[in-house]
C-alpha cells in the first residue's frame, strides 16, 4: 500500500504549509501528492507549483471537477503538466453535484451522470492517444459539436502537442454503486471519498472483483497523531458536517446518501437538517464519533499502527492521507514502511 499526501483545496487563501508538506512527503518516500477544487482555488495551478518544487513525487488531482472544463481542456491541462513534470501526472476527476454544477458553474447537471462521465473520459482518452482527430457522437460531449445552434463548421482535431504518455492514469471519484461499477470498467483507478475497512467488502467487494491488474483504489482519509482521540476527531467531524450538510441539496445530496449506506441514515438526515437550518455547530456535533473514527486514522501512534493493519488487508493500493502536520507525515511513513 503506497502513501499519498492529499492537500485538498484552499480555504480563505493559500496554505503556507502545503509546499513544505509536499517536499517532506517526497523526502519520506510518499508516492504521490494530490490537490482538489470546489468553488475557490483550482486543482491544476497549485499542482503545477508543487511540480516545480519537487522532482520525483507523482502529482494527482483529487479531484478536478468535470463541469469546470470541457474534456478537451482538461486533457490539455493534464498532458501539459505531464510534460512539464517529466511524466508524473495522474488525472483524478469528479462530476460533483447539482448544487455546484448549476450554482457555481452555471451548467445543467446531467440527467444521466453515468453517460456524461463515460463520454468525458472517452474524449480524454482520444486526446491522449492522439491516434486520430477527436470524434464522439455523444449526448453531452459531442465532437465536433452539432447542436441546433452549431455553425456546421466544426472540424475534428487532434492535439498539436504529442502527449508524453497515452496511458496517463485517469481516476474517478465515484460514490454510488452504479458509478463505482462503471469506474472499474472505464478508469485506471477509483478515489473513494470515505473508506471503512470493515464495511468495504460488503459495500464494494463485488464491483472491485472486476478490476483489472494495476487498478488503483486510493481513498482519502484524515490522519492525525494525537493523544486525545475525541479531540483528534473534531476536524473529521467538521469535514463530514460540511460535506453531508452543505455539499448538496436537502433533496439530493450524494454525500449524505453515502453516509446512509454506511449504516447512518438517520444521523445523516439529522446532520443535513441542522446544517441547512443554519445550526452548523450542532450539525458537526451530530456527526457520530463512530462514523468519523472508522473512516479516519486518529489517535496515538500505537492506535494508528494497529488500525492501519486493517487498511492494509483490503484492496487499497494507495492511502491518500489528509495529514495536518509534519509529525503525522513522518509517523505514517514509518508505520507503512
Amino acid at each position: 500500500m503506497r502513501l499519498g499526501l492529499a492537500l485538498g483545496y484552499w480555504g480563505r487563501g493559500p496554505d503556507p504549509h502545503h509546499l513544505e508538506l509536499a517536499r517532506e512527503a517526497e523526502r519520506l518516500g510518499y508516492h504521490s501528492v494530490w490537490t482538489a477544487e470546489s468553488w475557490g482555488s483550482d486543482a491544476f495551478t497549485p499542482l503545477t507549483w508543487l511540480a516545480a518544487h519537487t522532482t520525483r513525487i507523482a502529482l494527482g488531482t483529487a479531484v478536478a471537477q468535470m463541469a469546470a472544463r470541457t474534456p478537451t481542456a482538461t486533457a490539455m491541462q493534464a498532458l501539459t503538466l505531464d510534460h512539464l513534470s517529466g511524466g508524473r501526472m495522474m488525472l483524478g476527476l469528479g462530476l460533483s453535484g447539482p448544487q455546484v454544477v448549476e450554482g457555481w458553474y452555471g451548467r445543467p447537471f446531467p440527467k444521466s451522470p453515468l453517460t456524461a462521465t463515460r463520454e468525458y473520459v472517452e474524449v480524454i482518452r482520444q486526446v491522449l492517444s492522439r491516434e486520430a482527430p477527436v470524434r464522439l457522437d455523444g449526448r453531452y460531449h459531442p465532437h465536433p459539436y452539432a447542436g441546433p445552434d452549431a455553425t456546421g463548421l466544426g472540424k475534428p482535431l487532434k492535439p498539436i502537442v504529442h502527449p508524453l504518455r497515452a496511458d496517463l492514469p485517469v481516476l474517478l471519484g465515484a460514490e454510488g454503486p452504479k458509478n463505482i461499477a462503471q469506474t472499474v470498467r472505464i478508469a485506471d483507478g477509483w478515489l473513494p471519498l470515505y473508506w471503512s475497512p470493515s464495511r468495504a467488502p460488503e459495500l464494494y467487494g463485488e464491483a472491485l472483483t472486476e478490476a483489472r491488474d494495476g487498478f488503483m483504489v486510493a481513498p482519502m482519509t484524515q490522519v492525525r497523531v494525537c493523544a486525545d482521540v475525541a479531540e483528534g476527531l473534531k476536524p473529521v467531524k467538521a469535514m463530514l458536517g460540511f460535506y453531508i450538510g452543505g455539499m448538496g441539496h436537502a433533496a439530493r445530496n450524494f454525500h449524505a446518501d453515502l453516509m446512509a449506506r454506511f449504516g447512518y441514515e438517520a444521523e445523516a438526515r439529522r446532520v443535513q437538517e441542522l446544517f441547512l437550518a443554519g445550526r452548523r455547530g450542532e450539525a458537526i456535533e451530530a456527526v457520530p464519533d463512530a462514523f468519523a473514527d472508522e473512516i479516519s486514522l486518529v489517535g496515538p501512534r500505537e492506535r494508528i499502527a494497529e488500525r492501519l493493519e486493517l487498511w492494509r488487508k483490503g484492496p487499497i493500493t494507495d492511502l491518500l492521507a489528509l495529514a495536518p502536520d509534519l509529525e503525522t507525515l513522518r509517523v505514517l511513513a514509518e508505520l507503512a514502511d
Side-chain angles (χ1 to χ4, degrees):
M1 185 178 69
R2 301 179 300 193
L3 294 180
L5 169 63
L7 296 174
Y9 43 79
W10 298 349
R12 294 185 178 184
D15 190 315
H17 303 296
H18 277 182
L19 181 55
E20 180 184 21
L21 287 170
R23 283 173 159 171
E24 181 65 4
E26 181 173 71
R27 188 191 70 80
L28 292 168
Y30 278 60
H31 171 259
S32 56
V33 58
W34 303 75
T35 56
E37 60 190 8
S38 54
W39 50 90
S41 58
D42 77 287
F44 288 99
T45 307
L47 200 61
T48 304
W49 181 255
L50 296 174
H53 290 84
T54 55
T55 59
R56 300 182 310 278
I57 197 165
L59 309 157
T61 54
V63 295
Q65 295 179 327
M66 289 184 241
R69 308 161 191 86
T70 65
T72 47
T74 297
M76 286 196 301
Q77 288 193 277
L79 72 85
T80 301
L81 185 48
D82 202 39
H83 269 290
L84 293 175
S85 66
R88 292 190 278 154
M89 179 66 195
M90 296 183 290
L91 181 60
L93 301 168
L95 194 60
S96 193
Q99 183 189 46
V100 175
V101 173
E102 297 183 357
W104 180 247
Y105 294 113
R107 304 181 60 184
F109 188 77
K111 292 183 179 179
S112 178
L114 291 176
T115 301
T117 299
R118 185 168 60 252
E119 290 182 7
Y120 201 100
V121 172
E122 171 59 23
V123 171
I124 288 174
R125 298 286 199 199
Q126 289 191 37
V127 173
L128 294 175
S129 69
R130 204 180 178 271
E131 293 176 352
V134 176
R135 292 181 183 271
L136 183 69
D137 183 17
R139 176 180 175 184
Y140 296 100
H141 302 290
H143 283 70
Y145 178 71
D149 55 345
T151 65
L153 302 176
K155 178 183 178 181
L157 299 168
K158 60 181 179 180
I160 297 170
V161 175
H162 291 235
L164 186 64
R165 294 180 295 161
D167 59 351
L168 186 154
V170 177
L171 300 90
L172 294 174
E175 296 182 27
K178 292 181 180 179
N179 204 346
I180 295 168
Q182 175 174 269
T183 296
V184 170
R185 293 194 302 271
I186 71 172
D188 302 303
W190 173 39
L191 296 161
L193 180 61
Y194 312 142
W195 185 271
S196 168
S198 62
R199 299 180 196 269
E202 176 186 351
L203 291 173
Y204 312 127
E206 184 176 351
L208 292 177
T209 58
E210 304 297 323
R212 59 188 177 278
D213 289 345
F215 185 83
M216 291 176 62
V217 178
M220 287 174 282
T221 185
Q222 292 206 37
V223 185
R224 186 180 300 266
V225 176
C226 58
D228 188 330
V229 174
E231 189 68 24
L233 287 175
K234 287 183 178 180
V236 185
K237 295 179 63 170
M239 177 272 293
L240 288 170
F242 175 63
Y243 271 70
I244 294 160
M247 284 281 219
H249 188 272
R252 193 171 188 185
N253 184 312
F254 302 136
H255 306 304
D257 293 343
L258 180 57
M259 181 177 171
R261 286 196 291 276
F262 271 67
Y264 298 94
E265 182 171 5
E267 294 88 342
R269 304 311 167 197
R270 180 58 177 162
V271 171
Q272 270 191 298
E273 177 185 319
L274 290 168
F275 196 98
L276 294 174
R279 298 156 63 182
R280 296 192 176 192
E282 292 178 62
I284 292 170
E285 285 300 316
V287 175
D289 282 9
F291 178 52
D293 192 33
E294 70 177 274
I295 65 168
S296 63
L297 289 165
V298 171
R301 178 191 175 107
E302 296 75 18
R303 185 176 193 264
I304 292 176
E306 180 180 349
R307 299 184 68 239
L308 188 61
E309 291 307 308
L310 299 176
W311 294 66
R312 288 179 187 270
K313 292 178 181 178
I316 295 175
T317 61
D318 297 76
L319 176 65
L320 310 186
L322 288 156
D325 55 66
L326 293 172
E327 180 192 1
T328 295
L329 270 186
R330 292 164 184 161
V331 168
L332 188 60
E334 291 169 4
L335 295 177
D337 189 5

